């Protein structure tokens, strides 16, 4: 299919073998400018009224004899992991491509479909250009059958107990194998280390081969939570709205704003705010959570909350995700399937959400993809914590407090440098400080400029600041809310941080310091082509930053378009819309 006059997208391969579907897609471009080509692909599965979007990344590129660009994407999809609630007996497969103007469905032609193979129990055919796959003999997985799940749990528990009793035999087997000549060499090559370590690792391998259920602390505590919640639910009427967080102890962010409206409407609200990993939480914490879950119909979270993952009792409640970020910028969740640090296809993270709340209709598909849920369950009601950006009295009060706290900022032109981190997460997060020499920058700017440095919370190290400019730089990485700092910011310098969405609400000029753009695209990537997406000028080095500042060259006209694109409602009433939606689901509001 022609995506545009210069780009053609073809489904080159589709094969199914043992519930693994291999899909290959060819992209051909005749423009002769491959460096400006950023085609993005995705695959949409449809099944019994449910849909699921999964990524398909172009990984191989080349040029034909005419110099035309050719990109190839191929990926193996685990069919049993695609849909969460329905058995996979019949489904559709639609390739979607993005060329800067939105995603289009790629309709498959008959001559392309000749490449499709039928294997094992599946049959494939075309229906109006869409690939339809049917299982020849329908099966039922019983994945949502409570009784089957319960008996499976009993079986695996018995398996675990027997496996535990057999641990001494596994250890003796490890000693015996180590004593044999050729197998001893195998153990040394496989496990390394001393004799004791090799024997223990061999025994662990034998145990894991025998027993599929490992009763670690997290599993035991989650089982306790499930059983207790189910029992307590027999005695309580589910009429409350419960806010849950395993990141904070105080009421902040989106849940604070929504709670304020709910309190005004006299809603019945409960809170469970206990930070930490599931395995380290106490049984007292779990008793409290079970009691509150038993009394609640709607549960609200605003971040990834592992304590609620794979909780049986949640099937009888409505789980809403008030994601903390605005817009759609860096890829996250299941969009990162197949990339380093991305989730497995079989992961259940995020997939229990009944609804997710986002800032605009355009990005609904991206959150559906990232969370692994149906697009119709993603609602564009706005981000509650952005309501303050439309309250003039609040902004005036924050500016006053900040100037009182940091009087050196008064009557200055304030540049805020707020980059994101590099690395795979909190444990490995860093920023290459040498790439932003704040002293060198200020030497090229007037005395009326000051710089606020605001690194991502994951970056623990301090940004080095030269003594010659120490009175013109404030590192507030460990202090102050970044949204509050935007109220006194005259220019935002960032790279790939989602703070750009909040900054656009205040019409703040922005520079995008993308010194490692190509590497970042490979390792993390974006939902949109970066160069056509960001609301400001892209710069690659410190000299270009200074030149842009001195000439006020920020491409400010892009900010208004960006804001209209990623916020459906610019009225400061997101909290009220979300609260009304929650009350509806809880049965306390109009239908």
């Amino acid at each position: 299919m022609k995506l545009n006059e210069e780009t053609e997208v073809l489904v080159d391969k589709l094969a199914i073998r043992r519930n693994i579907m291999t899909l290959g897609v060819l992209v051909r471009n005749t423009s002769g400018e491959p460096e400006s080509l950023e085609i993005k692909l995705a695959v949409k599965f449809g099944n019994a009224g449910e849909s699921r979007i999964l990524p398909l990344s172009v990984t191989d590129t080349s040029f034909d004899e005419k110099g035309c660009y050719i990109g190839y994407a191929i990926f193996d999809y685990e069919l049993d992991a695609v849909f969460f609630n329905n058995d996979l007996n019949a489904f559709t497969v639609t390739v979607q491509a993005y060329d800067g103007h939105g995603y289009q469905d790629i309709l498959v032609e008959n001559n392309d479909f000749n490449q499709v193979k039928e294997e094992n129990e599946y049959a494939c055919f075309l229906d109006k250009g869409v690939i339809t796959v049917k299982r020849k003999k329908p099966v039922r997985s019983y994945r949502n059958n409570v009784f089957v799940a319960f008996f499976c749990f009993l079986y695996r528990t018995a398996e675990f107990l027997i496996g535990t009793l057999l641990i001494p035999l596994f250890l003796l087997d490890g000693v015996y194998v180590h004593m044999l000549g050729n197998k001893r060499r195998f153990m040394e090559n496989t496990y390394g280390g001393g004799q004791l370590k090799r024997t223990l690792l061999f025994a662990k391998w034998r145990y894991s081969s025998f027993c599929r259920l490992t009763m670690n602390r997290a599993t035991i505590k989650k089982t306790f939570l499930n059983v207790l919640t189910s029992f307590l639910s027999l005695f309580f009427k589910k009429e409350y709205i419960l806010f849950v967080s395993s990141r904070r102890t105080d009421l902040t962010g989106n849940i604070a704003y929504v709670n304020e409206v709910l309190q005004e409407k006299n809603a019945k609200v409960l809170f469970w705010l206990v930070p930490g990993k599931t395995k380290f939480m106490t049984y007292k914490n779990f008793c409290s959570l079970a009691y509150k879950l038993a009394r609640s119909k709607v549960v609200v979270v605003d971040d990834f909350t592992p304590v609620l993952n794979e909780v049986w009792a949640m099937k009888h409640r409505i789980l809403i995700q008030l994601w903390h970020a605005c817009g759609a910028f860096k890829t996250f969740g299941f969009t990162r399937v197949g990339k380093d640090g991305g989730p497995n296809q079989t992961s259940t993270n995020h997939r229990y959400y009944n609804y997710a709340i986002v800032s605009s209709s355009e990005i609904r598909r991206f959150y559906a993809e990232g969370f692994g849920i149906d697009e119709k369950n993603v609602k564009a009601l706005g981000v509650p914590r952005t309501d303050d950006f439309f309250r003039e009295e609040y902004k005036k009060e924050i500016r006053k407090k900040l100037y009182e706290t940091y009087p050196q900022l008064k009557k200055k032109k304030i540049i805020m440098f707020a980059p994101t981190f590099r690395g795979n997460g909190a444990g490995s997060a860093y920023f290459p400080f040498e790439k932003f020499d704040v002293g060198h920058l200020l030497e090229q700017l007037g005395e009326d400029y000051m710089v606020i440095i605001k690194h991502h919370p994951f970056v623990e190290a301090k940004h080095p600041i030269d003594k010659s400019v120490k009175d013109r730089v404030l590192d507030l990485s460990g202090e102050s809310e970044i949204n509050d700092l935007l109220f006194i910011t005259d220019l935002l310098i960032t790279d790939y941080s989602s703070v750009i969405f909040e900054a656009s609400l205040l019409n703040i000029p922005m520079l995008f310091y993308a010194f490692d753009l190509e590497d970042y695209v490979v390792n993390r990537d974006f939902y949109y082509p970066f160069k056509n997406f960001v609301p400001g000028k892209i710069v690659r080095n410190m000299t270009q930053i200074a030149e842009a500042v001195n000439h006020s060259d920020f491409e400010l006209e892009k900010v208004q378009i960006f804001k209209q694109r990623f916020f459906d409602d610019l009225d400061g009433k997101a909290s009220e819309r979300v609260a009304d939606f929650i009350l509806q689901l809880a049965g306390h509001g109009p239908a």
Side-chain angles (χ1 to χ4, degrees):
M1 175 182 175
K2 286 281 188 181
L3 191 60
N4 53 48
E5 292 183 359
E6 299 173 332
T7 306
E8 186 178 24
V9 180
L10 299 172
V11 176
D12 177 70
K13 178 181 181 181
L14 188 150
I16 300 175
R17 187 174 180 83
R18 295 179 182 175
N19 290 320
I20 300 294
M21 188 187 84
T22 302
L23 181 67
V25 175
L26 184 73
V27 179
R28 190 170 184 270
N29 180 269
T30 59
S31 67
E33 299 178 356
E35 65 278 355
S36 63
L37 183 69
E38 286 194 65
I39 300 295
K40 293 186 177 296
L41 301 174
V43 180
K44 186 174 184 179
F45 293 85
N47 177 40
E50 184 180 13
S51 66
R52 172 92 189 275
I53 301 170
L54 281 166
L56 180 61
S57 300
V58 175
T59 53
D60 297 318
T61 60
S62 60
F63 297 88
D64 63 14
E65 63 279 1
K66 296 180 181 179
C68 296
Y69 167 86
I70 297 175
Y72 195 70
I74 188 167
F75 194 74
D76 292 336
Y77 297 93
E78 299 182 37
L79 295 180
D80 289 341
V82 172
F83 292 105
F84 201 52
N85 299 312
N86 298 315
D87 297 322
L88 203 64
N89 287 316
F91 61 97
T92 59
V93 180
T94 307
V95 177
Q96 299 181 327
Y98 175 83
D99 65 347
H101 300 93
Y103 274 89
Q104 298 182 41
D105 290 348
I106 304 301
L107 301 180
V108 182
E109 299 178 2
N110 286 318
N111 58 334
D112 300 324
F113 199 67
N114 291 333
Q115 299 293 321
V116 176
K117 298 179 181 179
E118 295 184 19
E119 298 187 44
N120 292 339
E121 69 268 30
Y122 291 98
C124 309
F125 58 91
L126 278 182
D127 182 15
K128 298 179 182 179
V130 177
I131 300 171
T132 299
V133 182
K134 286 189 176 181
R135 195 187 292 266
K136 295 176 182 177
K137 293 182 179 180
V139 297
R140 190 176 178 186
S141 67
Y142 299 99
R143 70 173 79 194
N144 293 315
N145 189 300
V146 176
F147 295 103
V148 172
F150 178 71
F151 282 113
C152 286
F153 174 76
L154 289 181
Y155 172 78
R156 292 186 178 181
T157 301
E159 189 180 53
F160 162 76
L161 294 173
I162 295 171
T164 302
L165 292 173
L166 291 175
I167 287 177
L169 292 179
F170 296 151
L171 289 169
L172 288 174
D173 193 22
V175 173
Y176 174 72
V177 171
H178 185 271
M179 293 171 63
L180 298 179
N182 58 339
K183 292 190 176 182
R184 176 176 179 174
R185 193 176 301 111
F186 163 76
M187 285 187 68
E188 290 174 351
N189 293 335
T190 304
Y191 299 113
Q195 177 180 345
L196 177 60
K197 180 181 178 181
R198 291 196 295 269
T199 301
L200 291 174
L201 289 173
F202 179 83
K204 181 182 178 182
W205 169 73
R206 287 295 305 271
Y207 174 81
S208 61
S209 300
F210 179 88
C211 176
R212 290 168 292 174
L213 179 65
T214 302
M215 281 292 190
N216 54 34
R217 281 180 291 177
T219 304
I220 293 172
K221 289 179 178 179
K222 196 156 284 187
T223 302
F224 173 79
L225 173 64
N226 274 311
V227 173
L228 184 57
T229 303
S230 300
F231 175 74
L232 292 176
S233 296
L234 300 174
F235 303 98
F236 295 108
K237 182 180 178 181
K238 295 188 285 291
E239 56 186 2
Y240 280 83
I241 297 163
L242 173 63
F243 290 99
V244 174
S245 176
S246 55
R247 296 268 181 159
R248 60 172 67 89
T249 57
D250 54 338
L251 201 60
T252 56
N254 285 329
I255 59 177
Y257 289 89
V258 175
N259 173 63
E260 184 178 343
V261 179
L262 290 175
Q263 297 293 348
E264 292 173 357
K265 296 176 181 286
N266 297 315
K268 295 182 177 180
V269 181
L270 296 172
F271 303 95
W272 191 86
L273 310 174
V274 180
K277 294 183 178 180
T278 303
K279 64 181 180 180
F280 297 128
M281 292 177 182
T282 66
Y283 281 98
K284 182 179 178 181
N285 295 145
F286 281 94
C287 287
S288 171
L289 178 57
Y291 173 72
K292 292 175 180 178
L293 282 175
R295 304 181 68 191
S296 303
K297 183 175 182 179
V298 178
V299 181
V300 184
V301 298
D302 73 339
D303 208 328
F304 176 46
T305 311
V307 71
L308 294 180
N309 199 26
E310 299 180 4
V311 175
W312 317 329
M314 288 306 299
K315 292 182 180 179
H316 307 292
R317 287 149 186 85
I318 300 170
L319 181 58
I320 301 175
Q321 174 61 265
L322 297 181
W323 195 244
H324 53 278
C326 299
F329 194 5
K330 297 170 291 190
T331 59
F332 69 96
F334 285 99
T335 306
R336 294 184 50 72
V337 164
K339 291 181 176 290
D340 289 341
N344 296 322
Q345 292 186 53
T346 55
S347 171
T348 57
N349 291 348
H350 300 299
R351 302 197 65 186
Y352 288 91
Y353 306 146
N354 297 102
Y355 297 98
I357 310 300
V358 298
S359 62
S360 75
S361 301
E362 178 170 325
I363 64 172
R364 289 173 58 234
R365 64 158 287 124
F366 299 124
Y367 278 79
E369 180 180 331
F371 290 147
I373 62 177
D374 198 304
E375 187 175 344
K376 67 176 180 288
N377 294 334
V378 182
K379 305 295 182 181
L381 302 178
V383 180
R385 63 181 177 78
T386 62
D387 286 352
D388 283 340
F389 287 77
F390 301 91
R391 297 169 182 165
E392 292 303 322
E393 284 301 316
Y394 176 83
K395 290 190 284 187
K396 184 178 179 181
E397 180 184 347
I398 294 298
R399 289 190 192 103
K400 181 181 178 182
K401 287 182 179 178
L402 287 172
Y403 287 135
E404 288 175 352
T405 306
Y406 310 106
Q408 63 269 48
L409 296 175
K410 288 182 180 179
K411 298 181 181 180
K412 296 288 185 178
K413 295 179 181 178
I414 299 172
I415 298 172
M416 181 159 69
F417 177 58
T420 191
F421 67 92
R422 273 64 174 170
N424 291 326
S428 60
Y430 73 97
F431 181 82
F433 298 131
E434 70 279 2
K435 290 293 184 179
F436 189 79
D437 187 342
V438 64
H440 178 70
L441 174 63
L442 286 172
E443 286 174 2
Q444 300 177 71
L445 304 180
E447 290 293 327
D448 53 342
Y449 280 97
M450 283 200 67
V451 173
I452 292 176
I453 294 175
K454 186 68 174 174
H455 280 291
H456 192 281
F458 286 175
V459 179
E460 296 181 357
K462 288 289 184 182
H463 199 114
I465 301 170
D466 191 87
K467 291 181 179 179
S468 62
V469 294
K470 214 166 185 63
D471 59 338
R472 298 175 62 192
V473 181
L474 276 177
D475 188 344
L476 301 180
S477 299
E479 308 168 43
S480 302
E481 168 62 41
I482 190 168
N483 286 352
D484 290 349
L485 293 174
L486 288 173
F487 296 144
I488 61 170
T489 297
D490 297 299
L491 170 65
L492 174 65
I493 301 177
T494 185
D495 44 15
Y496 323 114
S497 171
S498 61
V499 70
I500 62 175
F501 295 99
E502 289 86 348
S504 73
L505 292 173
L506 300 172
N507 298 311
I508 296 173
M510 296 177 238
L511 287 177
F512 290 85
Y513 183 28
F515 58 85
D516 58 350
L517 177 59
E518 290 73 22
D519 289 338
Y520 203 86
V521 168
V522 170
N523 295 318
R524 184 67 188 263
D525 207 359
F526 307 96
Y527 283 108
Y528 296 91
F530 183 83
K531 295 176 183 177
N532 301 325
F533 163 77
V534 295
K537 186 180 181 65
I538 298 173
V539 290
R540 293 287 195 151
N541 54 56
M542 298 300 297
T543 300
Q544 291 179 0
I545 292 176
E547 289 176 354
V549 175
N550 284 323
H551 293 91
S552 297
D553 181 15
F554 308 126
E555 300 179 6
L556 186 58
E557 67 279 359
K558 294 180 178 179
V559 174
Q560 189 65 26
I561 299 171
F562 181 88
K563 178 169 60 175
Q564 296 289 341
R565 184 180 186 183
F566 291 104
F567 292 92
D568 282 357
D569 301 287
L570 297 167
D571 56 4
K573 297 180 179 179
S575 301
E576 189 170 342
R577 280 189 294 275
V578 173
D580 287 342
F581 178 68
I582 292 173
L583 288 171
Q584 251 184 53
L585 296 175
H588 304 316

